[in-house]
Amino acid sequence: MNGFAPRDDIMPWSRTPRTRMEVARPAFPDELAPLAMQGADLPRGLLAGGLQRSYGDSCINDGGALIEMTGLDRFICFDRTSGLLEAEAGVSLAAILKLVIPAGFFLPVTPGTKFVTLGGAIANDVHGKNHHRAGTFGRWIRSLSLLRSDGREHTVSDDDASGLFAATIGGLGLTGIITRATLQLMPIASSNMAVETIPFGNLAEFFALSAVSDASHDYTVAWIDCLAKGDLLGRGIFTRARHASDGVLRVKPPGGPSIPIDAPGFLLNRFSIAAFNEVYFRLAGRARQSTMSYDPFFYPLDAIGNWNRMYGPRGFYQYQSVVPPEVAAEVTAEMLRAISDARQGSFLAVLKTFGDMTSPGLLSFPRRGTTLALDFANRGGPTLWLLDRLDAIVREAGGRLYPAKDGRLPPAMFRAGHPALDQFTTHLDPGMSSTFWRRMTP
């Protein structure tokens, strides 16, 4: 295939599974249409890819074609008065921040890594620590251009009546190739954050803190000790913040340490995770206020290159759920008890409440409720058994899982959690596919 070459080094951020795909990396927009039509002719079709930060298999197309969009990363227009930014889909959030922070603007919504492309952020309708104030990333997209695999390009806006805009926001790249988009940025007076950390002793204290803080602060999130039991079940550290009202507008320079090789799998076990959680809780476990740069606040893991190697050669699973607010306290407690009983803790255990703002995408993950995100080292059967157990709890509660984070989400649970799925499939591009989509629609 002209422009494509076989590769087997592209994988999800969880590093499982490994795949073989026909891959092209165009440098100019006029290369896209012929590549899209070529890739769509493969039996397993075509997918557009970015920086491969999705944890699950929604970002790979095993046995099919993948167009890497990172070569299409140009800025098209930036209005420094209104904060409207138009750019090609392959531009990273890191590059956007580098451009807009000195001008006094910031991303209206950002996930926990800045190494995500604009197209990837739209395709997964990512969310951040300010969901209760700003909703999802897709709510701030004013228009986007979508190249279908028949070679025709469509430009749709947020008032689109056809449904194609809503299908593409959070549509996992299955409605076509997002080529460019216009994003509404938010003004800031400083690149620093005014941050407050508060320890809490159990889940009840978390929900009380969250209710108060969501009303008073732009950003809220909590780390929890997922191995704590009894009266300490759900203890953790609550963080709430606002953009500082004055100060510098400075971009963090790139660079930092990196993990060069896979860590030995035996380093991650119940005892090391329990020790880490205890030490972290004690070190961070005092209330304090501070001012810090936006970068360590929003992107702490970006400071360590290839941090996913910490989980060793077998990789890991990330599990993120959201459950309705009416049952959130009870269900979160049940999930934490299941994790503790299985003796498979997680370094990363993040708890947050989502607000009332409706997500614009038909397959968007966020909904009103409480979301819990966890990383589990891949230990094979025991890990999959625990995830199945968590599935049962979430499904019984009427919740859903985040497709971009999950490499083993059962098809029935995906359908149950996304009631607009049938409406979405009417906008599916017949030439687009992914390993995830084939797994969901066997």
Side-chain angles (χ1 to χ4, degrees):
M1 295 174 66
N2 294 332
F4 286 90
R7 286 176 57 182
D8 59 7
D9 61 331
I10 295 177
M11 64 185 83
W13 189 244
S14 66
R15 308 184 75 226
T16 178
R18 295 178 182 274
T19 60
R20 184 177 177 84
M21 295 176 282
E22 295 289 332
V23 181
R25 188 175 185 272
F28 298 100
D30 61 359
E31 299 174 53
L32 268 177
L35 286 171
M37 290 187 281
Q38 287 179 51
D41 283 339
L42 284 179
R44 291 193 167 185
L46 169 73
L47 184 68
L51 291 168
Q52 302 303 122
R53 290 298 179 121
S54 293
Y55 292 75
D57 52 3
S58 63
C59 64
I60 56 174
N61 189 26
D62 189 22
L66 182 83
I67 295 181
E68 282 191 333
M69 296 293 290
T70 50
L72 299 169
D73 60 350
R74 301 170 186 83
F75 293 109
I76 299 167
C77 180
F78 176 33
D79 186 328
R80 294 170 184 258
T81 301
S82 66
L84 279 175
L85 173 72
E86 184 178 12
E88 291 181 337
V91 70
S92 69
L93 299 189
I96 292 176
L97 292 170
K98 185 177 180 181
L99 172 72
V100 306
I101 284 179
F105 287 96
F106 200 77
L107 295 165
V109 170
T110 180
T113 174
K114 57 184 179 292
F115 300 124
V116 174
T117 62
L118 175 60
I122 297 169
N124 293 285
D125 198 13
V126 296
H127 60 273
K129 299 179 178 71
N130 61 342
H131 183 275
H132 59 287
R133 291 287 181 92
T136 65
F137 194 85
R139 293 189 71 252
W140 301 86
I141 297 299
R142 297 296 170 254
S143 67
L144 60 86
S145 294
L146 188 72
L147 178 69
R148 303 278 281 190
S149 62
D150 60 6
R152 291 187 295 180
E153 190 161 12
H154 306 257
T155 297
V156 288
S157 59
D158 52 2
D159 60 356
D160 164 55
S162 73
L164 186 58
F165 183 88
T168 301
I169 301 292
L172 304 171
L174 297 167
T175 62
I177 300 173
I178 301 169
T179 59
R180 60 169 65 183
T182 299
L183 171 67
Q184 176 66 64
L185 301 165
M186 61 175 287
I188 55 171
S190 168
S191 54
N192 286 333
M193 306 296 298
V195 181
E196 187 175 0
T197 55
I198 307 168
F200 56 91
N202 52 47
L203 278 180
E205 292 183 19
F206 162 80
F207 283 104
L209 265 172
S210 185
V212 171
S213 303
D214 282 359
S216 60
H217 286 72
D218 297 328
Y219 301 95
T220 60
V221 70
W223 169 87
I224 58 170
D225 178 355
C226 62
L227 290 178
K229 295 182 176 181
D231 293 341
L232 299 179
L233 185 73
R235 72 172 180 174
I237 310 294
F238 194 92
T239 302
R240 58 190 186 188
R242 306 182 183 94
H243 291 277
S245 57
D246 56 30
V248 298
L249 290 167
R250 183 180 299 152
V251 179
K252 179 189 177 297
S258 181
I259 299 178
I261 59 173
D262 294 343
F266 66 83
L267 288 181
L268 293 176
N269 54 58
R270 179 171 67 91
F271 302 104
S272 63
I273 293 173
F276 169 85
N277 285 359
E278 184 66 31
V279 170
Y280 184 82
F281 182 80
R282 290 183 180 278
L283 289 178
R286 61 183 178 85
R288 66 182 186 277
Q289 297 181 353
S290 62
T291 300
M292 65 170 65
S293 166
Y294 72 93
D295 200 84
F297 175 75
F298 288 107
Y299 314 113
L301 288 175
D302 284 351
I304 305 172
N306 299 315
W307 66 260
N308 54 345
R309 286 180 168 170
M310 178 178 69
Y311 288 93
R314 298 183 69 178
F316 66 103
Y317 291 98
Q318 182 161 103
Y319 190 92
Q320 184 165 1
S321 61
V322 58
V323 296
E326 297 79 11
V327 296
E330 175 186 345
V331 171
T332 303
E334 188 175 359
M335 294 175 73
L336 292 178
R337 282 193 289 267
I339 294 166
S340 184
D341 291 346
R343 299 186 175 186
Q344 293 196 59
S346 166
F347 288 117
L348 177 72
V350 176
L351 194 59
K352 156 129 187 91
T353 53
F354 285 154
D356 294 332
M357 293 188 184
T358 302
S359 299
L362 297 177
L363 296 187
S364 295
F365 163 71
R367 52 171 286 184
R368 183 169 173 261
T370 297
T371 181
L372 176 63
L374 307 128
D375 283 351
F376 295 103
N378 177 17
R379 296 190 173 89
T383 305
L384 294 174
W385 180 89
L386 171 60
L387 300 183
D388 287 345
R389 172 74 185 117
L390 298 179
D391 283 353
I393 297 170
V394 173
R395 185 169 181 175
E396 177 67 21
R400 64 169 60 139
L401 302 186
Y402 194 178
K405 295 286 186 72
D406 201 294
R408 33 63 61 204
L409 168 63
M413 187 161 183
F414 176 61
R415 174 168 287 279
H418 293 84
L421 183 59
D422 289 339
Q423 185 182 352
F424 168 79
T425 57
T426 64
H427 298 282
L428 193 67
D429 185 320
M432 308 297 291
S433 188
S434 68
T435 303
F436 170 84
W437 187 248
R438 291 189 293 276
R439 194 162 56 81
M440 292 302 104
T441 55

